[in-house]
Every structure is written in structure tokens, then in C-alpha cells.
Amino acid sequence: MKVGELGEFGLIESLRRIIERAGVGVGLRREGILGIGDDAAAWRAGKRTQLGTTDTLVEGIHFTRETASWRDLGWKSLAVNLSDIAAMGGDPAVALVSLSLPAETDAACVEALYEGMAECALAFRTAILGGNVSEAPLIVITVSLVGEVEEGRMLTRSAAKPGDAIAVTGYLGASAAGLRMLKERLDLAPDVGSSLRMAHLRPSPRVVEGVWMARHGVRAAIDISDGLLADLGHVCRASAVGAQIRLADVPVHPAARRAFGDRSLEMALSGGEDYELLFTAPLPVIERARQDISVPVTIVGSITGETERIVLVDESGKEVRRGRGGWEHFGGWKA
Amino acid sequence: MKVGELGEFGLIESLRRIIERAGVGVGLRREGILGIGDDAAAWRAGKRTQLGTTDTLVEGIHFTRETASWRDLGWKSLAVNLSDIAAMGGDPAVALVSLSLPAETDAACVEALYEGMAECALAFRTAILGGNVSEAPLIVITVSLVGEVEEGRMLTRSAAKPGDAIAVTGYLGASAAGLRMLKERLDLAPDVGSSLRMAHLRPSPRVVEGVWMARHGVRAAIDISDGLLADLGHVCRASAVGAQIRLADVPVHPAARRAFGDRSLEMALSGGEDYELLFTAPLPVIERARQDISVPVTIVGSITGETERIVLVDESGKEVRRGRGGWEHFGGWKA
């Protein structure tokens, strides 16, 4: 079978099984805490819990030189990794950068890439301590990031419990709207355009917010990279729970709504690359988050006991489902 | 200027300057110990010193599907990173794997890749705890590895001192000889062919040996990835010292010598990808290493005070230099 048919998650599951069967997964040494399947890996170093994650941007797949500047690309390549550490409640520490480039690349472009990366590193107090450069026929940027979290306070995908409220930080859909704008070269109002562009090219990982959550009783979180529904699906699978989402409460980004009207709801639900945090906790914890966290925190639904079943409801509590013409009543959405 | 003109080391130096100027290098936080410029980065986590390194194999640049099997590729992609941790005297702990692949890749091939990687992980007691997979028009494998070393015992490129003896583990030149054999499809005696093939495709990182060195008073080391002379050059630059190498003492791999005769010396000096350790220490320390370490340890020369000057000498102590016909008398070789 081709990996394209198997799909990303099928492939990861098959690789995870090879690792576990060979005995080199989380059980190999006393250090192992969390292996393949969450936003980041976790292991012990003395009394500290270390977190590690890695992410790759490939030219032509994740970006093109037409829609992203080198500087933006530098920012984003680090930001997507910071978002994974944030989703574990971790404090980022050290980044390593592996850069593959055509020999004819202008050195000034690579320097701009690093300046963007350094800007993001400074904003989130992450040291860039190493990496390597090599030749390749196209640009591939892999950033690996190590962070720390206090023992026992780590946020995971598998800790959601029936009765928890589900909340998200910030607004959703602007990154997908921004990508569409850039690809289709849409001419939008300057403030709308700039805000969608920033959302797509310069996402703000919720590092401070993740650390707050880890310290104040949140236990389940994921970053929204695949899209609200897909990432909620990951949480439901890992936690063996279900979820109910009130569509009217999903915080669609105002700029996405202004640019794309009703179509922006779909972008907020499934667009992805928002790099906001989705988290679940008892209501009082989330109420406190709404007071303490400086970005908006919106409750969008609740965790249920119906394993892996995600139900979308309208304002009156009636189930709706995805149909040809948008969202229709009746039915559920299987994670 | 194009990065091809600037070269790998010129580019790294320019990127290092951007990082330091932006204040996100080793000085950013109390954790930083060692940034860009050694085999691995180093930082503190509590009382522990963490080491981190990353390396990428790109299809068509570092390997082709004709000369390397998927399983070998898996072994090698982890082994080259283990070698960097070994060169710091570190104990490997956790690997993260970022894999970019064409959608039409056979899943069985990717599984074989992971089996080879798992085999290497088991041999060197390294947990594979995470990573990511993404689409790309060609295969790019980036492995990042985190390890640990006891505080203050780390091996660095910058600790060589005039008067130190220079030694290497194992034999050199077999990887370059193996690559040549595979590329040119040379038909060698089976034992020679198999030994060169293994040296190129399944290098044995000197992890146990590096840990021994860190614990027994060695302070300067590098792994031989660019070639004995080039890597010694890195040590001389970082330590502001020079070196004298006795050509007759360079441990050319017997299989390389059998296959390529006198040309094997050049492979041992400049071929690279041997993944042996070059280290420097006072003679008694190296004598003890020769007794305690199970792979051969050969003294090949000594560190001098002549900054960045590497001199090659023949058996009678006369200087030789690279000439058209091989190694000729007179002159030196500038690092």
C-alpha cells in the first residue's frame, strides 16, 4: 500500500507499532513518559520532565516562495513547534534547526529566514543552539524543540473527562482564510487582509497560556493545527470520550467572517493552522482561565461519555450535520 | 552570494552571527552552555547537562535508493546523530524523527526504514518517542537526538591543548571506499566488499567509547564525519592550536587498503563518514584508553602550539604535503 493511501495517521500508527514491538518506545528506559501520539514526547531528566517535538516545512507542500517571505517562513517554522510545546503546558528551552537548501539559494534569503526565526525565538524566550545545513533540490526546514514542564502537570490529549467544558483560546479560521486570500490573490480591505495574512504567516503560539493551564488545573489540551473538529477528534480518541460542540459559540475570527461571510464557519471548524489551544477542564477552572489569560477564552461545548462521537448542535440544542449546503440538522460527526 | 559559493561552514558562521546578534544564542537563558559550532548543543536541565543534535539525509544528496536499502537508511539516519552525542561524551536518551516522503512511497519501505532505525536504537539504548511525517517530492529524513552528560565532563572541540596526543578509535577510510564501491559497482572479494558496505551503510557510533572518555579525563573530541584532516581542522580552529600527524600511523581500514591499495590513505585522511572519534589528551590518558576501550585506539600525532597549522610528517619526521602524485615532502597543510 502507498503511504498516500494509508494516510498520515495510518502511517504514524504503523510506525508506532514497529517502535513498540522493537522495544525502543516509551518503555525502553526509566526516562520514558510519553511516546508517539501526543503533541510532544515527554521523558524524565532527573526530577524534570522534558518535552520534545519536531516539525518540518517542505517547499511546495507547506509553503511556496510566492506566498511566504523568507522572514515569515523563519517565524512560522519555529512557531509551529512552540505551539506543540504550549499544548503540553511546557516552557520552551532549546531549538535545533535542520535546513536543506539548493546550492543556488541566495545567502541573504537564508539570513532573512534566520532573522524571522530569531525574532520568534526572542518573543518566546527560546535559545537556538544548533542544527545543520545541507544541500537539497528544494527547501526543507525542520525545527526540533525541547522544553520542560513541572512533573505531573503536563497537558495531554488523553486526559479529557466527561463533564469537562471544552474551550479554545483566541479566534479560529483566520489562517485558512489567509491562505485562501494569498493563493487566490484576493483584494481585501487592508485591515482585513493584513490580519488574515498575519494569522497565516505569523501565528502566535499560546506558550504563556499553556503554562498557565498546566499550573492551574487544566490537564487536557491540543493545539489546533489540523482544525478544531479534527483536533477535537484526536482528543476524543486519546481520551475515549465524545464531545458536543455548539456551532454558534465557535469563535470565528472577525476578519475571516468579514472576508468570507458564512463560509468562515467552515474555516474555523476545519481550516487548521490556527495554532490556538483547545483544552478541556471543569467549568470553574475555565472560568478562572477566562479571567487570568489575556487572550480571549471561549467555551464551545462539553465532553461527553459517548466514545469518539462528536455532535454539533445549533443554538436550540438540535443536532446539525455537514451537508451539501453547509450545516444541516440531524446526525452526528464521527471523529 | 549563493549558499553554494559561501559553503557549509561560511553559511553556518553567518547564521550563528544572526542568532547571537538577536540575543537568542547560548546567552539567552541560564540554561545555555554550548551553542552552534560543536558536535552537539548543550544546556542545563536542573543539575543535568542535556545535549542535542540534529542531522538530515536527503535523497540524491546523501543517499540514493540504488545504493542504500531502506533498512540501512534507517540505521544510518540514527547512527550519524548518535555519533554526534558520542563525540560530546554523552549518553543518548531520546530521538525524534521527521520524515518527508512522496505520497506514492510504498508503506512497506517506510516500515523497513523504521525497522532499521529501531535496530540501531536498541543497540544503543535510545528511545524513539516522536516525530512527524509529511509529504514531499523526495525523501528527507531528519533525526534529532537528545542525550545527557555529567556536568563538567563534556567533550568539546575547543579543549585540545599543546602537548596532547591525538588518537582515533577504529579504522578509517572504509566508508569512503564503500561508497566508491557501491557507486562504481566494483566487484570486490566478498569479505572485503561486505566489510566496506557495512562501514558505509551501517556505521557504529562510538557511544560507549565517548562515555568512557568523558569519565576518564579526555576533554577534546570530534566525530570523524568530514574526514580526519577536516575534522582535526575543526578541533584546531576551535582550540586555537595546531597539530602534527604521522601519516604512517594513520589506521587505514584493512579492507579499504586491500581494495584500493595506496589510494586508501587519501580515503582515510579525507574520505569522511567514518563516524570514529578523534580525541586528544595527555599520553597516559590515551594509554589507559587503549587498555580499557574494546575498539582499537591509535595514536596518530600530537597537538602543537602553532595555531591552525596542521603538519603531516613521514616516518622519519620529515614534512610531507599533498601533491599531484600523492603525498610529497615539504610544506604544511593549512586547516
Side-chain angles (χ1 to χ4, degrees), chain A residues 16-62:
Chain A
R16 194 190 62 74
R17 261 186 260 123
I18 290 168
I19 296 298
E20 292 305 329
R21 203 165 52 217
V24 294
V26 75
L28 179 70
R29 310 212 297 194
R30 68 194 187 293
E31 294 95 324
I33 298 177
L34 202 61
I36 294 166
D38 216 301
D39 291 282
W43 66 96
R44 277 173 206 94
K47 286 184 181 172
R48 312 273 200 118
T49 298
Q50 303 291 303
L51 301 168
T53 186
T54 184
D55 219 339
T56 295
L57 300 182
V58 179
E59 183 180 5
I61 305 287
H62 302 100

Side-chain angles (χ1 to χ4, degrees), chain B residues 64 66-68 175-188 193 196-197 200 259-260 263 267:
Chain B
T64 65
E66 285 69 49
T67 56
S175 177
L179 178 60
R180 182 133 171 208
M181 176 191 77
L182 291 166
K183 273 189 169 171
E184 299 179 3
R185 300 175 189 225
L186 302 179
D187 191 21
L188 303 176
L196 297 184
R197 194 189 150 76
H200 184 65
F260 294 101
R263 285 176 297 163
M267 292 169 171

Side-chain angles (χ1 to χ4, degrees), chain A residues 1-4 14 24 28-29 35-36 45-46 48 55-56 92 98 103 105 107 111 125-129 132 138 144, chain B residues 1-4 14 24 28-29 35-36 46 48 55-56 92 98 103 105 107 111 125-129 132 138 144 148:
Chain A
M1 188 184 279
K2 297 185 192 318
V3 298
S14 126
V24 294
L28 179 70
R29 310 212 297 194
I36 294 166
R48 312 273 200 118
D55 219 339
T56 295
S98 189
T105 311
E111 286 163 13
R125 295 191 56 70
T126 303
I128 301 176
L129 294 191
N132 79 300
L138 79 177
S144 301
Chain B
M1 188 184 279
K2 296 183 192 321
V3 298
S14 125
V24 295
L28 179 70
R29 310 212 297 193
I36 293 166
R48 311 273 199 119
D55 219 340
T56 295
S98 189
T105 311
E111 286 163 15
R125 295 190 57 69
T126 303
I128 301 174
L129 294 192
N132 79 300
L138 78 177
S144 301
E148 277 194 8

Side-chain angles (χ1 to χ4, degrees), chain A:
Chain A
M1 188 184 279
K2 297 185 192 318
V3 298
E5 293 157 15
L6 195 56
E8 178 185 352
F9 302 115
L11 180 60
I12 290 173
E13 179 50 26
S14 126
L15 300 179
R16 194 190 62 74
R17 261 186 260 123
I18 290 168
I19 296 298
E20 292 305 329
R21 203 165 52 217
V24 294
V26 75
L28 179 70
R29 310 212 297 194
R30 68 194 187 293
E31 294 95 324
I33 298 177
L34 202 61
I36 294 166
D38 216 301
D39 291 282
W43 66 96
R44 277 173 206 94
K47 286 184 181 172
R48 312 273 200 118
T49 298
Q50 303 291 303
L51 301 168
T53 186
T54 184
D55 219 339
T56 295
L57 300 182
V58 179
E59 183 180 5
I61 305 287
H62 302 100
F63 68 92
T64 65
R65 291 189 231 183
E66 285 71 48
T67 57
S69 75
W70 285 88
R71 211 177 165 100
D72 289 338
L73 209 51
W75 174 285
K76 191 164 179 176
S77 63
L78 180 56
V80 298
N81 282 283
L82 286 165
S83 183
D84 280 325
I85 295 295
M88 308 296 286
D91 211 3
V94 171
L96 304 170
V97 182
S98 189
L99 200 57
S100 302
L101 297 162
E104 65 270 21
T105 311
D106 192 336
C109 296
V110 187
E111 286 163 13
L113 177 90
Y114 260 68
E115 277 159 11
M117 208 181 297
E119 204 183 329
C120 185
L122 191 63
F124 296 96
R125 295 191 56 70
T126 303
I128 301 176
L129 294 191
N132 79 300
V133 295
S134 70
E135 202 187 327
L138 79 177
I139 305 163
V140 182
I141 309 165
T142 300
V143 176
S144 301
L145 185 59
V146 177
E148 278 195 7
V149 64
E150 280 175 66
E151 209 179 337
R153 299 211 155 176
M154 188 167 67
L155 311 176
T156 67
R157 296 179 178 187
S158 57
K161 290 196 169 59
D164 277 0
I166 303 170
V168 297
T169 59
Y171 298 100
L172 306 178
S175 175
L179 177 60
R180 183 135 169 205
M181 175 190 77
L182 291 166
K183 272 189 170 170
E184 299 180 2
R185 300 175 188 224
L186 301 179
D187 191 21
L188 304 176
D191 60 327
V192 172
S194 123
S195 139
L196 297 184
R197 193 190 149 77
M198 287 293 281
H200 185 63
L201 297 177
R202 297 238 167 186
S204 277
R206 299 308 185 190
V207 173
V208 173
E209 295 75 13
V211 168
W212 185 97
M213 291 175 200
R215 287 194 187 147
H216 293 86
V218 178
R219 285 295 158 262
I222 190 168
D223 75 322
I224 303 180
S225 53
D226 294 333
L228 172 62
L229 293 182
D231 289 310
L232 178 59
H234 298 322
V235 170
C236 288
R237 248 190 309 279
S239 299
V241 296
Q244 191 183 75
I245 295 290
R246 290 183 303 276
L247 283 186
D249 293 343
V250 171
V252 178
H253 196 288
R257 197 183 288 282
R258 273 182 63 193
F260 295 100
D262 283 352
R263 287 175 297 162
S264 61
L265 176 62
E266 186 55 37
M267 292 170 172
L269 291 172
S270 308
E273 293 210 81
D274 294 304
Y275 301 108
E276 296 293 347
L277 296 182
L278 178 154
F279 60 109
T280 87
L283 204 52
V285 173
I286 296 194
E287 287 302 343
R288 191 164 165 203
R290 294 178 68 157
Q291 287 161 26
D292 288 6
I293 290 181
S294 63
V295 300
V297 168
T298 310
I299 298 174
V300 295
S302 55
I303 295 293
T304 68
E306 291 188 272
T307 306
E308 292 191 36
R309 185 173 150 83
I310 296 178
V311 177
L312 306 173
V313 299
D314 67 9
E315 282 165 78
S316 64
K318 274 192 191 145
E319 278 189 41
V320 292
R321 63 171 182 180
R322 219 185 231 122
R324 280 184 204 159
W327 294 89
E328 297 163 358
H329 285 100
F330 186 71
W333 191 84
K334 189 79 169 63

